[in-house]
Every structure is written in structure tokens, then in C-alpha cells.
Amino acid sequence: MTRLFNDPSRFADEMIEGFVAAASRWVQAAPGGVVRSTQADEPTVVLVIGGGSGHYPAFGGLVGPGIAHGAAMGNLFASPSAQQVHAIATAADRGRGVLLSYGNYAGDVLHFDQAQEKLRAEGIDVRTVTVTDDIWSAPKHEQHKRRGIAGDLAVFKTAGAAAAAGYDLDGVERIAQLANARTRSFGVAFTGCTLPGASEPLFTVPAGKMAVGLGIHGEPGIDEVDVPTADELAELFVEKLLDEVPEGVSLEGARVVPLLNGLGNLKYEEMFVVYRRVAQLLDERGIAIVEPEVGELCTSFDMSGVSLTLLWLDDELETLWAAPADTPGFKKGSVAPQRAAAAVVATAVDASVPDAGDASREGARLIEAALAAVATAIDAAADELGRMDAVAGDGDHGIGMQRGSRAGADAATVAAEAGAGAQTTLVRAADAWSDRAGGTSGALWGEMLRAVGARLGDTDALEAAAVADGVVQAKDAVMAFGKAEVGDKTMVDAIVPFAEELARGVAAGEPLLEAWGRASEVGEVAAQATAALAATLGRARSHGDKSIGTPDPGAISFALITRTIHRVLTQSTREQSKEQ
């Protein structure tokens, strides 16, 4: 259990603040995470890594000479936002290009891809390599769908060493791709992890059992077996990983880097006992071991678990793995002298708003009231949303929605009070929601609010037809952005019937209040019906069958938000009637 915290919703922010204070020899704070506090004399390609917090030393602890130049650090188990990734990459860039690298999770892909597009539009050459080392998360023929776990370190270390050695961006990208293609991992756990403020772990493992196929975000295991002895666990690890020897690698004369990784609450002494047998088994197969690591390399908060990673070397990768590195959480050899980097200065936010029509300003006030009510409703539902998400996912949906909706509501208030119209108010709310929430939900709600805002504009009143069109466009944006379809057990299962029913009602001449109310009821039914579906996308995909019987939390939160907005519309209509 996590015992030391203040406000759980502020835990990640306060953790980063303390980390920077403790590790100022290596890092400095920057909007969205950390960047190096030192730099080499000659500019190099920049490696920017990132992901949710709760995995130390990943990701901030790997920033320093020889590995990463910056880390975008999201909320607990939630991907950093596109704004965070963009800010870190911009702060770290030295003019020779940027490689983004991170674990292959839906929210991370959405946000990093958004940031990459923006950076490229600004003239920065940016490439991406996602880490896909977890053999248990997808079959061999779908390696591109696999998660990134402790194998992150193998990819980050070799790519960072290539950058330090003066490789150009093509070369650094090639090394990251090669390292990822030659890295395989497999994890197990004996207990789940507990987020700050939570009374229960995200999942439990029955006494005497071990969960097999663990991720690093508190997801439950894909299977459960009896707890083995240390030697039996080593044999399981080696057996499974040797069944996954990368294409083009021959066992004869093979060289590997074993990474035995503790997930947060396993004693080093226990890991050494396991590693003893791992080393014996590899030696028996004639596989040479090169500079192994045993310890906490990529954790999952306080989870009691362990994973084994094998990086299969060639001559180039071996040289890069052995190269010096000096970061708060990983050190190897002795790096060349560094000089102090310039301090990162946060860019002032422009709070001015464009001109807007009086009718649109009135609509902005209604939007402000709706988003404030949404934030209050999400606050009340956050624990239950997190519980639903923990059934097959990582349990962060509640706190992510809480942070995002509150930030969106606050931004809407600032914009509306400054005289903004409907579009500007929604766009400011979208940016704040996406940035503060992170994760998949943050990215999707940001897309939805922007799409509705684009249809409403900053001139006209909130007419029913424009609102309905905006919701349809939001539905289309989410489906295009997140690649989900009806039946995948996502928020889309509620959005599509809601948008279609709202459009039908408005087209039939129904007032917005009536059409929205009926559409909200349809969306609620559809959201509850997702309980019968198995998840096929996102972090819950690997545990799809476990999700059966529990509604999708994204669909449920969407239905809650539409019901809440209907109440605000009802109150607004009553007030207008009284004035007349």
C-alpha cells in the first residue's frame, strides 16, 4: 500500500517536484516533465522518452548523459499529454532532430503522435520508435500490438548511446528499431499495486497463486498459476523467452543482456536467487551473458513482481549497451565531462481571447456552467470509474477524468469571464482537459471538445442544429483518432448511438433540450450494454474476457457527462422561461 501522500490528485506533481530537487545534478524541471541539467559541448540527436508516473526509474530517472535528454512525465499510470511531450521535446532539441520513444500503449501513441505532428509542422525532424517487448500481451504474428515493459531500458540505453556517439537521426532511429526487434520480456506478480489514496489494490492474486503476463500499469495478469520456487520461476522465464528468439538470431554463439527487473516490492535478495538460476540456464544453452542488470529498472508502484528481459546483441548493440551512462536511476562506466545547460524558462500563456458575438458569449456562459457541473459529477463518480477500469485495465480512468474535467472547467471559466465565444471557450477547455488528464481519455475528450467548438464558432448562438452537427463531428473525430468502432468496448459504443439519436431528433424538429434528453437515455442504455462485450482495444485488450460483466468506464463516464449536461440545459431552459 502507498502510505505517504498528501492530496492523491497532486501526488505525481509533488513527486516530480521532489525528484527534481533530489536529482538536480542530472535533471531540471521543464513544462511537462524533466530535461537534462547538463549538456555535451557538441549538439547531438535528442532522445525524448516518457510515459505515466509510478515506474521509477522510468522515465525521469533515465534522463542524463548516455541515455535520454528529456522525459515527458504523465499522471500515475497515465500517458503524458501531447502538450507535455511537445514542451519537453522543444526544450531538449539541439537542432539535430528528435527521437521519441515510449511503451506501446494507446494513450501514449495518441499523445506522442499529436506532439510529433506539431513538432514536424514547426520544422523539427522527429521520428518515433515504440517499445513492444512484452511477449505475453500479443501473439508472435502481432508483435506490433505488444506492450512495452522493462525492455524500455534496452531500447532507451542503446539509442541514447548512439546519440551520444554522434549518430545522425537516421542512425539513432535504426538502433532503436533494432534494439526493440531484439528485445523480449516476460513478467509475473504476486500482489497488485495500490494507488495513493486507494483502499484496495488494482487487482489481487489469490493466496498461493502467481499472476502471469503482467504489464506495468497495475493491469491484472493474463493467467494465474501456483507460486513456483525461485528456480522454477527462472526456468519459466528462460523457457518462454527462448521460445521467442528474434528472427535472424542464432542460438549458436548468441550473446544476451539479461535484465531481471523488480516491479516495486520484491527484495533484491529474492531477485538474486532467481537470477542465479537464469544465468545457469543460459550458460547451459551456450548463450553468453553480457553486462546483466538485476534490480528495479521499470516498476509498477508497489507491485510485488518480477520480469525478465533478454536483449539479443550484435556487435553494434553490444558496444552501445556497454557505453557509459550517468542518470539518477541508471549508471554505467564514466561519461565525458558535461557543462551546465541553460535553465528552461516556461513560456508565458497568452490569456487574451478573440472577438466574439454577444450570442456566442452567452453560449459560452452556458458551456462554462455545463463543464463546471460535469467536473462535480465526475468528482463524485471517480472512485467507481476507477474500480471499473481496474477490472481489466490500470484503474486510472477515474482520476484521469477527474483531473481533466476540473482543468477543463477552470479553463472554460477563465475564457468565458474574458469574453470568449463558444468555440474559444471549448478549445481552451479541450487543451486544458487533454493536458491535465493525459491518457487515452484526455486525448479523446480534447478532440471532442475541439470538434464541437469548431462547429459552433465564436459568433452565433447555440442553435440545436449546430450543436447536433458538432456532436456528430466529435463522434467522427474520436473514431478517426482512436481507431475504435462500435463493438470494441470503448467510449465509442455510447458516443455513436448518442450522436445519431441527437441528430435524428433535431432533424425532426425537436427542441435541443428534448432531443438531448432522449439521446442521453439512448447513450446510457448503450453504455450499460458494454458489460456484455469483451475489450478489444487499449490496455484492457490483453484481458478482454475479464472485462465481460463490467461496463466500459469510458462509455459510462460519457453517459454520465451527457446526463449532467441535460440537467444544465433543463435548468437554463427553466430560467429563460421565467425571464419571459
Side-chain angles (χ1 to χ4, degrees):
M1 176 175 288
T2 304
R3 296 175 175 84
L4 300 177
F5 56 88
N6 299 308
D7 177 354
S9 68
R10 291 277 305 160
F11 184 90
D13 300 319
E14 294 178 347
M15 178 275 296
I16 294 170
E17 183 180 349
F19 167 63
V20 170
S24 60
R25 182 164 77 84
W26 298 276
V27 303
Q28 60 174 314
V34 297
V35 296
R36 291 186 191 178
S37 59
T38 64
Q39 63 183 26
D41 290 335
E42 294 298 322
T44 68
V45 170
V46 164
L47 172 63
V48 172
I49 62 176
S53 297
H55 305 300
Y56 191 85
F59 293 89
L62 300 178
V63 173
I67 308 187
H69 298 77
M73 302 170 68
N75 191 28
L76 295 175
F77 293 170
S79 65
S81 68
Q83 294 95 319
Q84 288 179 281
V85 177
H86 177 270
I88 292 297
T90 300
D93 177 41
R94 299 195 67 193
R96 293 198 59 194
V98 176
L99 177 69
L100 304 177
S101 191
Y102 52 91
N104 186 36
Y105 296 91
D108 297 84
V109 172
L110 292 175
H111 285 288
F112 274 86
D113 279 358
Q114 273 191 322
Q116 177 174 262
E117 290 176 10
K118 185 175 181 181
L119 290 163
R120 286 176 172 173
E122 294 168 353
I124 299 175
D125 193 355
V126 183
R127 315 286 176 81
T128 291
V129 175
T130 56
V131 183
T132 57
D133 58 303
D134 180 11
I135 67 170
W136 214 254
S137 57
K140 292 179 182 180
H141 66 277
E142 293 184 326
Q143 291 185 16
H144 63 286
K145 294 184 179 180
R146 288 178 168 177
R147 306 178 291 204
I149 52 175
D152 284 352
L153 177 61
V155 177
F156 300 163
K157 170 64 181 71
T158 51
Y167 285 47
D168 63 12
L169 184 56
D170 287 341
V172 175
E173 179 187 30
R174 176 182 62 79
I175 288 299
Q177 291 170 339
L178 178 63
N180 183 60
R182 285 173 165 256
T183 300
R184 302 287 187 273
S185 300
F186 178 46
V188 301
F190 310 100
T191 66
C193 56
T194 306
L195 296 180
S199 58
E200 300 291 336
L202 291 176
F203 71 91
T204 58
V205 182
K209 295 290 185 180
M210 177 179 75
V212 176
L214 266 294
I216 56 171
H217 298 92
E219 309 98 323
I222 297 171
D223 196 6
E224 289 177 355
V225 300
D226 292 338
V227 174
T229 65
D231 282 1
E232 289 169 344
L233 178 56
E235 290 159 6
L236 176 65
F237 278 153
V238 173
E239 174 193 351
K240 296 298 183 184
L241 291 177
L242 291 189
D243 188 47
E244 283 268 353
V245 177
E247 184 177 352
V249 174
S250 171
L251 288 180
E252 183 177 353
R255 293 162 288 160
V256 299
V257 175
L259 306 175
L260 191 67
N261 172 59
L263 284 162
N265 196 18
L266 198 69
K267 295 291 291 180
Y268 273 63
E269 290 84 348
E270 294 175 275
M271 286 189 277
F272 288 135
V273 174
V274 174
Y275 182 74
R276 157 193 156 274
R277 184 58 179 152
V278 168
Q280 291 171 355
L281 291 167
L282 293 174
D283 183 64
E284 289 170 5
R285 296 296 296 269
I287 300 171
I289 294 174
V290 178
E291 298 193 21
E293 294 286 340
V294 177
E296 292 184 349
L297 308 171
C298 184
T299 60
S300 185
F301 230 70
D302 62 333
M303 183 186 292
S304 179
V306 62
S307 65
L308 178 65
T309 298
L310 295 181
L311 166 60
W312 297 83
L313 299 171
D314 63 9
D315 291 344
E316 188 175 27
L317 288 176
E318 182 170 352
T319 298
L320 295 170
W321 175 256
D326 183 24
T327 76
F330 186 87
K331 299 174 178 62
K332 185 183 286 288
S334 178
V335 302
Q338 306 284 304
R339 59 186 175 88
V344 175
V345 179
T347 303
V349 177
D350 183 5
S352 63
V353 298
D355 292 337
D358 290 340
S360 187
R361 286 175 178 164
E362 184 177 343
R365 284 298 188 179
L366 180 60
I367 290 168
E368 175 195 0
L371 288 175
V374 164
T376 299
I378 292 294
D379 276 343
D383 287 347
E384 177 60 12
L385 292 172
R387 184 201 66 77
M388 287 189 287
D389 191 34
V391 171
D394 54 15
D396 71 338
H397 185 72
I399 193 170
M401 290 291 292
Q402 195 173 29
R403 287 163 58 105
S405 62
R406 177 51 59 195
D410 291 346
T413 295
V414 171
E417 289 180 349
Q423 178 177 6
T424 297
T425 299
L426 280 168
V427 168
R428 297 286 172 87
D431 290 344
W433 188 316
S434 176
D435 185 34
R436 191 64 178 155
T440 303
S441 67
L444 296 181
W445 275 101
E447 287 294 301
M448 283 194 288
L449 295 179
R450 289 186 197 97
V452 174
R455 178 61 183 85
L456 295 180
D458 276 335
T459 303
D460 300 325
L462 303 187
E463 299 293 343
V467 172
D469 287 348
V471 171
V472 170
Q473 290 173 17
K475 178 259 297 180
D476 293 341
V478 166
M479 295 181 73
F481 190 54
K483 313 301 182 189
E485 298 179 356
V486 172
D488 286 334
K489 193 165 189 168
T490 69
M491 181 165 57
V492 166
D493 289 300
I495 295 174
V496 169
F498 173 84
E500 291 177 348
E501 179 59 26
L502 178 63
R504 185 209 61 76
V506 169
E510 296 176 3
L512 178 60
L513 177 62
E514 181 179 338
W516 190 285
R518 184 173 290 104
S520 179
E521 292 173 358
V522 170
E524 172 68 25
V525 171
Q528 293 295 341
T530 61
L533 302 176
T536 61
L537 292 176
R539 290 180 186 168
R541 173 182 57 81
S542 299
H543 314 82
D545 289 344
K546 289 189 176 183
S547 71
I548 296 175
T550 302
D552 176 69
I556 292 296
S557 59
F558 177 84
L560 170 62
I561 287 171
T562 62
R563 292 199 310 272
T564 302
I565 293 174
H566 183 246
R567 288 197 294 270
V568 173
L569 291 173
T570 300
Q571 181 64 28
S572 175
T573 301
R574 288 173 180 168
E575 292 173 355
Q576 290 174 359
S577 298
K578 290 179 181 179
E579 292 175 359
Q580 295 174 354

